[in-house]
Amino acid sequence: MTVFVPVKMALPGSLKSALLSAAGEEALTMYMDKSRLDRKSGNATQSVEALHQLASSYFVDRDGTMRRLHEIQISTGAIKVTETRTGPLGCNSYDNLDSVSSVLLQSTESKLHLQGLQIIFPQYLQEKFVQSALSYIMCNGEGEYICRDSQCGCQCSEEFPQCNCPITDIQIMEYTLANMAKTWTEAYKDLENSGEAGVSAEFTPNEFKSFMKRLPSNHFLTIGSIHQHWGNDWDLQNRYKLLQSSLEAQRQKIQRTARKLFGLSVRCRHNPNHQLPRERTIQEWLTRVQSLLYCNENGFWGTFLESQRSCVCHGGTSLCQRPIPCIIGGNNSCAMCSLANISLCGSCNKGYKLYRGRCEPQNVDSERSEQFISFETDLDFQDLELKYLLQKMDSRLYVHTTFISNEIRLDTFFDPRWRKRMSLTLKSNKNRMDFIHMVIGISMRICQMRNSSLDPMFFVYVNPFSGSHSEGWNMPFGEYGYPRWEKVRLQNSQCYNWTLLLGNRWKTFFETVHIYLRSRTRLPSLLRNETGQGPVDLSDPTKRQFYIKISDVQVYGYSLRFNADLLRSAVQQVNQSYTQGGQFYSSSSVMLLLLDIRDRINRLAPPVAPGKPQLDLFSCMLKHRLKLTNSEIIRVNHALDLYNTEILKQSDQMTAKLC
């Protein structure tokens, strides 16, 4: 049996005037579910008495009483409060208004009976009075209160289609849930920002900041190593457990409020949009720590990707990444990072040697490797020295190439509005078979007509060891740390020196350099349909401003001595051993030698996007300089890969085919 107690307070006057609102009325009505009150508190009688006392203060503190009753209504769901003000109230006195009358409703056999005020009505009006009273109380006069199959609700009138929807209560709950979600997020921020300057340590412990300061900064920290430090920090663990227990209590509170919100919205056209806050996992905490270590620079921040050892900076910038320390470990990992450049190795483990900031096996005799290709030369200058020599156009860095172009003549004006192609080649297979060549820079001198609006744009393709144009790679200017063209105007002229300095970082092998020239300019409509071919007319002022000439193109670098016959015999020995299924131990010295040569050649490959394999320049050399077939190249590389992984127990570097 469910018992409801409406408590109503009205201004003094007859019952008839109160019901008909003839002389004015101000009333407070509470509809109570005594069974719910019984569950909420051990003594329902005391709860009802407390509500009576609260209702009696309505005319003394109207706003405070309504606010308190509204909070009880939302938190318990055991009462429904309605406030009625009708008629002229100015003539009434507010003295002696603390009288309370109770009306008791009982549900017997799914039929409601009203005891109290309804007994003064005739028998034939009592049921209609109860129905009207319940509709007025429960539906605010906007519909008819109907009970069917133990389910009671309002049947809304056409004027009030959402009478069943407690809009105010829903808005309050949505606002409450939004504040809870904000509190959830701030709890994580409080832990991260703990121990900041100006924050009292009594209220905000400094465990997280202390943990960040204790992390070693002299080498790279993987997720696994950060996890180990995380688990060994007892102060941080205690703080983290407090955070978890606090968030668990908050989560349960959010779930209870969300269930009430969805329960209130059952009969509403309003669909609540609420998602439970997601708890941050340990993996996300460790990634966050890694991002704070390496992606928090120059006032910018980002997310660290360990698989690519790079940062994804937020805000469309790339300035958030700090220098990534080297990896300390066994085998070819660093024993210690360099003090001058933390990204490079400072020392290596036993059995490995330091070479340009990397650790390489000491099994190969460098002097013997030099007999095949002279990687070390007298022209291995530092970058500052190379830049100075290029500015001075030092003859020691000249590489004498052959200029080839069917579309451009040097020191002659031409129309660059359509693509122009020129090549600088060495033809080493015919002229200089005992050398391979290294490019460290390119320069061009370009002259333009006065008031020219052209902005030349270059695409440069490099063939490392001859071959067709498809066997070349495109220089990625300005990408992945690759340099850009530098443009310097010559004094008292319309000519510019365009210089590309690769330096030791991006120097690479070359046999032919293909340069494609385009221009970035807006052409007049009258000139767009012209072909741009044939001799130029310098007397026409409408066209003259688009003409340019290239007076000089020069490749800078040096040549490495290359013993093709000796290297071919070593490769054939490996190829024969692989074909006959012989043991690698019989040619281990040759295997180590070729592995070293392959690694040093492929190390000079151009940069690629993070996560993509480097280009295989070693196979290009085998194909074009040693004239091996594709099947022979595959067998040699497979034999070297097997020896590297099965005998040396080292990870194999993935490469992409170029030739």
Side-chain angles (χ1 to χ4, degrees):
M1 180 178 70
T2 305
V3 181
F4 304 92
V5 181
V7 178
K8 185 172 183 180
M9 297 182 61
L11 291 172
S14 63
L15 176 63
K16 183 176 182 180
S17 65
L19 290 174
L20 299 179
S21 302
E25 177 187 16
E26 183 172 6
L28 173 70
T29 305
M30 286 187 295
Y31 189 74
M32 296 185 293
D33 186 342
K34 292 188 68 176
S35 62
R36 292 188 181 181
L37 286 174
D38 211 359
R39 290 194 298 269
K40 294 291 181 180
S41 62
N43 193 334
T45 304
Q46 293 180 0
S47 299
V48 173
E49 183 63 28
L51 289 173
H52 278 200
Q53 293 177 3
L54 183 59
S56 65
S57 62
Y58 170 75
F59 295 103
V60 178
D61 181 12
R62 182 182 292 102
D63 294 337
T65 302
M66 287 302 298
R67 184 167 57 253
R68 178 64 181 143
L69 289 174
H70 204 61
E71 291 175 355
I72 297 175
Q73 176 179 329
I74 294 176
S75 61
T76 64
I79 67 171
K80 179 175 177 61
V81 182
T82 60
E83 187 180 19
T84 305
R85 300 181 187 180
T86 58
L89 302 176
C91 60
N92 291 284
S93 173
Y94 278 74
D95 298 331
N96 302 320
L97 297 180
D98 55 348
S99 59
V100 180
S101 60
S102 298
V103 180
L104 182 65
L105 283 80
Q106 295 181 351
S107 175
T108 306
E109 297 178 357
S110 300
K111 187 175 182 181
L112 294 175
H113 299 281
L114 190 64
Q115 296 180 357
L117 290 175
Q118 72 272 24
I119 61 175
I120 68 173
F121 289 93
Q123 185 68 30
Y124 66 92
L125 291 178
Q126 287 186 2
E127 184 174 355
K128 187 174 182 180
F129 169 76
V130 172
Q131 184 70 35
S132 300
L134 291 175
S135 299
Y136 176 76
I137 294 172
M138 301 302 296
C139 304
N140 296 322
E142 298 176 351
E144 185 178 357
Y145 192 75
I146 297 176
C147 292
R148 293 176 182 171
D149 300 329
S150 300
Q151 297 291 330
C152 297
C154 295
Q155 184 176 351
C156 301
S157 60
E158 295 181 358
E159 294 82 2
F160 305 99
Q162 293 203 75
C163 69
N164 278 316
C165 184
I167 297 295
T168 303
D169 296 346
I170 290 176
Q171 291 176 348
I172 291 175
M173 285 193 177
E174 287 180 338
Y175 179 75
T176 302
L177 286 172
N179 286 336
M180 290 180 179
K182 185 178 179 181
T183 303
W184 182 287
T185 305
E186 289 178 350
Y188 286 121
K189 292 183 179 179
D190 289 342
L191 179 59
E192 290 185 17
N193 299 329
S194 61
E196 288 185 347
V199 179
S200 174
E202 179 180 356
F203 299 99
T204 309
N206 58 357
E207 289 84 359
F208 188 81
K209 290 289 182 180
S210 300
F211 167 72
M212 294 294 297
K213 291 179 180 179
R214 284 193 293 267
L215 290 176
S217 59
N218 57 351
H219 65 273
F220 178 73
L221 295 178
T222 63
I223 289 291
S225 57
I226 295 176
H227 193 194
Q228 186 176 4
H229 287 286
W230 176 282
N232 293 334
D233 195 317
W234 294 106
D235 293 335
L236 180 64
Q237 290 301 308
N238 292 333
R239 179 82 164 90
Y240 184 65
K241 289 178 181 178
L242 290 176
L243 174 66
Q244 286 184 309
S245 60
S246 174
L247 291 180
E248 178 61 24
Q250 184 78 356
R251 184 182 62 82
Q252 294 178 0
K253 188 176 181 181
I254 291 175
Q255 287 180 340
R256 289 195 300 268
T257 306
R259 282 194 293 266
K260 290 180 182 179
L261 172 63
F262 284 98
L264 289 175
S265 305
V266 171
R267 296 184 177 90
C268 293
R269 297 181 180 180
H270 173 83
N271 294 322
N273 184 15
H274 172 70
Q275 294 181 349
L276 288 174
R278 189 172 60 88
E279 184 177 357
R280 187 183 295 182
T281 62
I282 289 292
Q283 180 68 23
E284 290 173 323
W285 272 108
L286 300 178
T287 303
R288 177 64 177 157
V289 171
Q290 209 173 37
S291 300
L292 290 174
L293 288 174
Y294 307 126
C295 305
N296 186 16
E297 187 74 3
N298 301 317
F300 301 96
W301 63 281
T303 302
F304 186 76
L305 304 178
E306 184 173 342
S307 59
Q308 301 177 8
R309 285 176 55 83
S310 62
C311 295
V312 178
C313 299
H314 304 288
T317 181
S318 59
L319 302 175
C320 70
Q321 181 167 322
R322 294 178 176 178
I324 308 300
C326 72
I327 298 177
I328 291 181
N331 296 330
N332 61 342
S333 298
C334 305
M336 185 181 69
C337 296
S338 172
L339 298 178
N341 187 350
I342 197 171
S343 300
L344 303 178
C345 295
S347 62
C348 300
N349 297 305
K350 186 177 181 179
Y352 293 84
K353 63 179 180 179
L354 185 64
Y355 178 76
R356 293 184 179 181
R358 297 177 58 182
C359 294
E360 298 181 345
Q362 289 182 338
N363 299 328
V364 179
D365 186 359
S366 59
E367 294 183 359
R368 186 182 179 194
S369 179
E370 292 292 323
Q371 297 176 4
F372 294 82
I373 302 176
S374 58
F375 289 101
E376 306 294 337
T377 68
D378 296 334
L379 297 178
D380 283 337
F381 298 107
Q382 298 294 326
D383 284 340
L384 292 177
E385 296 175 312
L386 285 177
K387 188 172 184 180
Y388 175 79
L389 294 176
L390 286 177
Q391 290 175 348
K392 297 298 181 180
M393 296 185 179
D394 194 289
S395 60
R396 289 177 293 175
L397 298 179
Y398 276 8
V399 178
H400 298 284
T401 57
T402 302
F403 179 85
I404 300 175
S405 178
N406 295 327
E407 303 167 350
I408 298 175
R409 291 184 179 180
L410 291 179
D411 212 18
T412 303
F413 280 98
F414 63 92
D415 188 346
R417 286 175 290 166
W418 286 264
R419 189 186 73 169
K420 304 295 183 181
R421 176 182 173 181
M422 50 187 169
S423 300
L424 300 172
T425 185
L426 293 165
K427 297 184 179 180
S428 299
N429 289 329
K430 296 181 179 179
N431 303 328
R432 306 180 67 187
M433 300 182 61
D434 295 335
F435 292 92
I436 57 177
H437 310 280
M438 197 79 67
V439 56
I440 59 175
I442 304 174
S443 72
M444 288 185 288
R445 180 172 296 177
I446 300 177
C447 300
Q448 302 174 234
M449 301 298 294
R450 192 176 300 275
N451 299 326
S452 175
S453 60
L454 286 175
D455 186 12
M457 182 170 55
F458 303 101
F459 298 90
V460 180
Y461 289 82
V462 178
N463 284 106
F465 302 100
S466 189
S468 63
H469 183 270
S470 61
E471 295 177 324
W473 54 270
N474 179 27
M475 287 187 173
F477 303 120
E479 298 182 9
Y480 324 121
Y482 206 76
R484 299 177 183 269
W485 286 96
E486 297 180 4
K487 178 182 177 182
V488 179
R489 183 173 181 174
L490 301 180
Q491 293 182 354
N492 302 323
S493 71
Q494 289 296 116
C495 298
Y496 297 84
N497 267 344
W498 290 71
T499 306
L500 177 67
L501 177 61
L502 301 179
N504 289 312
R505 179 68 180 89
W506 298 117
K507 66 181 181 180
T508 187
F509 298 102
F510 90 102
E511 176 67 24
T512 303
V513 176
H514 305 275
I515 302 176
Y516 292 89
L517 174 63
R518 291 181 181 272
S519 61
R520 290 177 290 200
T521 184
R522 294 188 177 274
L523 302 179
S525 59
L526 296 176
L527 301 176
R528 290 176 185 168
N529 295 327
E530 296 185 5
T531 61
Q533 303 294 333
V536 299
D537 185 7
L538 296 178
S539 63
D540 189 348
T542 61
K543 300 179 181 180
R544 186 171 54 192
Q545 60 176 325
F546 301 110
Y547 298 151
I548 68 172
K549 70 176 180 179
I550 299 177
S551 59
D552 182 51
V553 182
Q554 180 63 49
V555 175
Y556 295 94
Y558 49 86
S559 299
L560 306 178
R561 189 166 297 279
F562 176 69
N563 193 330
D565 295 333
L566 188 61
L567 185 59
R568 186 181 294 108
S569 63
V571 170
Q572 293 295 349
Q573 182 179 349
V574 172
N575 189 15
Q576 183 178 4
S577 176
Y578 179 82
T579 304
Q580 297 175 355
Q583 294 293 329
F584 293 131
Y585 302 103
S586 60
S587 58
S588 60
S589 60
V590 177
M591 286 290 188
L592 291 173
L593 178 67
L594 290 181
L595 279 174
D596 179 65
I597 294 175
R598 184 176 72 168
D599 181 65
R600 296 175 75 171
I601 289 178
N602 285 339
R603 194 185 303 153
L604 298 174
V608 293
K612 292 187 177 181
Q614 284 188 328
L615 296 178
D616 185 6
L617 301 185
F618 179 72
S619 297
C620 293
M621 186 202 66
L622 297 180
K623 178 178 180 180
H624 295 294
R625 299 307 300 269
L626 300 186
K627 306 300 182 181
L628 297 186
T629 63
N630 289 332
S631 58
E632 290 175 327
I633 295 173
I634 293 175
R635 286 196 296 267
V636 169
N637 279 316
H638 192 205
L640 294 177
D641 291 339
L642 287 177
Y643 186 84
N644 190 45
T645 55
E646 295 186 7
I647 306 301
L648 300 182
K649 305 298 181 183
Q650 296 182 9
S651 59
D652 193 18
Q653 297 292 332
M654 297 296 295
T655 56
K657 182 179 178 181
L658 178 63
C659 302

